[in-house]
């Protein structure tokens, strides 16, 4: 366990009660082992990226924690719009394995995260509240932060903004051909269409009209067609299963952004934002099956 003198050197300390949702989010974005963690004054960001083609960022906002203390380094860049932060690389598999030790059963568990600064390990303290009040501590080695792409949208170039009920969108994606290789998205001011493309050139077409009950809001200013790897949508589904709402955006280059809102039991919110690069411009092929929602 950490000594009193070691505690005095801590630069970051945060406590998360009922951390089951946090653990589920970490499992959902575990499509690569090594991730980048950013500690900011607004909360914690965990960024996973694969082959510069798909990126997932989990946002655990400050108000999700019952305790949040961070000593930030002074920013040397006056143009840094995101403000100063502390960053390090982390093996997500090791981290989630540590978190899993006190999950399950009827007892209540809390999570404390501690970090002394650059080069120091991330200390994970798990406490099981009950008759025994068990406590365990793990030290997870950190590394240099990984280089990740900046996929942020410029508002002037956003062609569409669609807010969808996450459970409904999850059900829709679950009905897609699980053997399909690509998903084509057609967006127009009137509808939102998904077309699956498989090995045998079988196609199925799912159309969401702009008046569908599935939609919370629909705003599309131009017609666009882009194709994406179906495997990347399957990654998003792991988070969609936890969410209440998904906000979908596309820009002029076909970059697809999907932000999943996840409600917690403490009236706080967590977000996971995905960015998916398009494969190529889609062609105008007619679908063999057409389902209108």
């Amino acid at each position: 366990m950490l000594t009193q003198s070691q505690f005095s050197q801590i630069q970051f300390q945060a406590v998360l009660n009922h951390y089951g949702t946090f653990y589920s989010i970490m499992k959902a974005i575990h499509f690569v082992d090594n991730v980048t963690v950013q500690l900011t004054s607004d909360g914690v960001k965990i960024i996973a990226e694969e082959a510069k083609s798909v990126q997932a960022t989990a946002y655990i906002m400050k108000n999700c924690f019952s305790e949040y203390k961070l000593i930030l380094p002074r920013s040397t860049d006056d143009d840094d719009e995101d403000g100063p932060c502390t960053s390090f690389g982390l093996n997500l598999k090791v981290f989630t394995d540590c978190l899993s030790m006190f999950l399950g059963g009827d007892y209540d568990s809390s999570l404390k995260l501690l970090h002394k600064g650059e080069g120091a390990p991330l200390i994970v303290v798990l406490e099981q509240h009950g008759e025994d009040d068990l406590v365990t501590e793990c030290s997870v080695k950190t590394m240099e932060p990984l280089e990740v792409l900046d996929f942020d949208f410029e508002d002037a170039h956003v062609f569409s903004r669609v807010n969808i009920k996450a459970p409904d969108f999850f059900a829709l994606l679950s009905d897609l051909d699980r053997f399909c290789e690509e998903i084509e998205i057609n967006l127009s001011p009137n509808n939102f269409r998904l077309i699956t493309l498989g090995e045998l050139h079988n196609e199925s077409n799912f159309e969401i009209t702009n008046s569908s009950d599935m939609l919370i809001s629909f705003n599309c200013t131009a017609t666009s067609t882009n194709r994406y790897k179906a495997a990347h949508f399957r990654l998003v589904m792991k988070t969609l299963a936890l969410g209440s709402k998904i906000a979908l955006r596309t820009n002029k280059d076909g970059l697809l952004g999907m932000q999943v809102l996840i409600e917690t039991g403490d009236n706080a919110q967590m977000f996971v934002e995905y960015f998916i690069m398009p494969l190529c411009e889609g062609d105008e092929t007619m679908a063999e099956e057409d389902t209108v929602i």
Side-chain angles (χ1 to χ4, degrees), residues 140-197:
V140 183
K141 182 180 179 181
T142 63
M143 61 192 83
E144 289 293 319
L146 307 174
E147 277 192 31
V148 293
L149 295 177
D150 182 3
F151 282 119
D152 195 20
F153 280 106
E154 293 184 26
D155 286 344
H157 297 153
V158 173
F159 281 1
S160 61
R161 291 182 174 86
V162 183
N163 292 324
I164 311 173
K165 297 173 184 176
D168 292 344
F169 196 57
F170 175 79
L172 172 61
L173 293 182
S174 299
D175 287 338
L176 298 181
D177 179 5
R178 62 190 181 94
F179 296 109
C180 70
E181 295 180 336
E182 298 177 8
I183 292 179
E184 181 175 285
I185 294 183
N186 297 333
L187 273 160
S188 75
N190 297 319
N191 58 31
F192 169 33
R193 180 173 294 176
L194 293 173
I195 300 173
T196 64
L197 305 169

Side-chain angles (χ1 to χ4, degrees), residues 34-39 45 47 52 85-91 115 117-119 142-148:
N34 295 326
V35 298
T36 295
V37 178
Q38 294 181 355
L39 309 176
K45 294 169 59 176
I47 306 168
K52 308 297 182 184
C85 70
T86 295
S87 300
F88 52 85
L90 191 71
N91 186 296
H115 191 242
E118 184 177 355
T142 63
M143 61 192 83
E144 289 293 319
L146 307 174
E147 277 192 31
V148 293

Side-chain angles (χ1 to χ4, degrees), residues 53 150-153 160 226 228 249-257 274-278:
S53 59
D150 182 3
F151 282 119
D152 195 20
F153 280 106
S160 61
N226 294 283
Y228 307 88
R249 293 179 295 169
T250 58
N251 70 2
K252 63 181 181 64
D253 299 317
L255 176 63
L256 176 64
Y274 290 85
F275 289 104
I276 302 176
M277 292 290 290

Side-chain angles (χ1 to χ4, degrees), residues 162-173 175 192 194 206-218 244-246 292-293:
V162 183
N163 292 324
I164 311 173
K165 297 173 184 176
D168 292 344
F169 196 57
F170 175 79
L172 172 61
L173 293 182
D175 287 338
F192 169 33
L194 293 173
F206 296 82
E207 180 183 350
I208 306 171
T209 63
N210 59 9
S211 59
S212 171
D213 291 338
M214 181 185 297
L215 300 177
I216 299 170
S217 64
F218 187 92
S244 60
K245 180 176 75 172
I246 178 170
V292 178
I293 299 175

Side-chain angles (χ1 to χ4, degrees), residues 3-288:
T3 65
Q4 186 64 38
S5 61
Q6 288 173 319
F7 263 111
S8 66
Q9 302 171 27
I10 295 297
Q11 294 184 7
F12 171 71
Q13 179 174 327
V15 175
L16 192 61
N17 298 323
H18 322 296
Y19 69 93
T21 300
F22 174 72
Y23 171 74
S24 297
I25 291 174
M26 294 301 98
K27 293 290 288 182
I29 67 170
H30 183 204
F31 54 86
V32 293
D33 280 343
N34 295 326
V35 298
T36 295
V37 178
Q38 294 181 355
L39 309 176
T40 77
S41 57
D42 294 325
V44 178
K45 294 169 59 176
I46 299 99
I47 306 168
E49 185 175 287
E50 183 180 61
K52 308 297 182 184
S53 59
V54 58
Q55 182 186 99
T57 302
Y59 296 86
I60 315 302
M61 309 307 292
K62 182 178 179 179
N63 65 354
C64 294
F65 297 89
S66 59
E67 179 183 335
Y68 193 90
K69 296 179 181 178
L70 176 64
I71 301 175
L72 285 169
R74 292 184 178 180
S75 176
T76 58
D77 185 357
D78 293 335
D79 296 327
D80 184 3
E81 295 182 0
D82 294 330
C85 70
T86 295
S87 300
F88 52 85
L90 191 71
N91 186 296
L92 192 55
K93 182 181 186 308
V94 174
F95 183 52
T96 54
D97 284 348
C98 292
L99 296 180
S100 67
M101 287 190 289
F102 276 5
L103 287 175
D106 297 329
Y107 45 76
D108 179 26
S109 299
S110 61
L111 163 68
K112 178 182 286 187
L113 299 174
L114 303 158
H115 191 242
K116 289 171 59 177
E118 184 177 355
L122 178 67
I123 306 300
V124 179
V125 181
L126 304 173
E127 184 172 357
Q128 183 186 113
H129 306 288
E131 293 181 1
D132 298 327
D133 284 336
L134 299 177
V135 178
T136 189
E137 180 182 307
C138 305
S139 178
V140 183
K141 182 180 179 181
T142 63
M143 61 192 83
E144 289 293 319
L146 307 174
E147 277 192 31
V148 293
L149 295 177
D150 182 3
F151 282 119
D152 195 20
F153 280 106
E154 293 184 26
D155 286 344
H157 297 153
V158 173
F159 281 1
S160 61
R161 291 182 174 86
V162 183
N163 292 324
I164 311 173
K165 297 173 184 176
D168 292 344
F169 196 57
F170 175 79
L172 172 61
L173 293 182
S174 299
D175 287 338
L176 298 181
D177 179 5
R178 62 190 181 94
F179 296 109
C180 70
E181 295 180 336
E182 298 177 8
I183 292 179
E184 181 175 285
I185 294 183
N186 297 333
L187 273 160
S188 75
N190 297 319
N191 58 31
F192 169 33
R193 180 173 294 176
L194 293 173
I195 300 173
T196 64
L197 305 169
E199 284 185 2
L200 302 178
H201 303 288
N202 293 327
E203 298 181 5
S204 58
N205 184 333
F206 296 82
E207 180 183 350
I208 306 171
T209 63
N210 59 9
S211 59
S212 171
D213 291 338
M214 181 185 297
L215 300 177
I216 299 170
S217 64
F218 187 92
N219 183 6
C220 181
T221 59
T223 299
S224 63
T225 299
N226 294 283
R227 287 186 182 179
Y228 307 88
K229 280 188 176 181
H232 292 163
F233 277 77
R234 295 185 186 107
L235 296 179
V236 179
M237 287 183 67
K238 296 178 181 180
T239 303
L240 265 180
L242 308 170
S244 60
K245 180 176 75 172
I246 178 170
L248 184 150
R249 293 179 295 169
T250 58
N251 70 2
K252 63 181 181 64
D253 299 317
L255 176 63
L256 176 64
M258 292 188 282
Q259 187 181 81
V260 183
L261 170 66
I262 301 166
E263 307 282 354
T264 72
D266 299 321
N267 295 320
Q269 297 173 339
M270 300 181 185
F271 302 87
V272 181
E273 186 164 34
Y274 290 85
F275 289 104
I276 302 176
M277 292 290 290
L279 290 173
C280 60
E281 292 187 6
D283 54 16
E284 297 181 358
T285 53
M286 294 298 293
E288 295 180 2

